[in-house]
Amino acid sequence: MIITVSGKSKEVQDNLTVAQLIAEEQVETPEYVTVSVNDTFVESGAFKSTKLHDGDTVEFLYFMGGGR
């Protein structure tokens, strides 16, 4: 199936979960990443059970602190 990951089209296996995609994409500090699928945030506790579907758009978001 074809999904879009961080703006790039990618072919992945059917029934891929968010957790599996995070591992495949070698996301740095996965414990701090926020994931949206089709503009809907996925709770981190649901990464292992949330399956992706053909045509989905996935974004990895990192919140950074700092400043004054």
Side-chain angles (χ1 to χ4, degrees):
M1 71 180 173
I2 304 293
I3 62 174
T4 302
V5 180
S6 300
K8 296 181 181 177
S9 184
K10 179 177 180 86
E11 186 169 351
V12 296
Q13 69 188 36
D14 289 343
N15 296 315
L16 187 73
T17 66
V18 170
Q20 290 170 318
L21 180 64
I22 288 171
E24 278 189 15
E25 292 295 304
Q26 299 177 347
V27 171
E28 290 185 36
T29 59
E31 61 275 11
Y32 297 116
V33 72
T34 299
V35 179
S36 73
V37 177
N38 302 324
D39 295 323
T40 300
F41 289 105
V42 178
E43 295 289 330
S44 60
F47 286 176
K48 290 182 180 178
S49 62
T50 301
K51 292 186 179 183
L52 299 170
H53 302 94
D54 191 50
D56 280 351
T57 299
V58 181
E59 296 290 336
F60 299 120
L61 307 167
Y62 300 89
F63 294 100
M64 305 183 100
R68 292 184 164 223

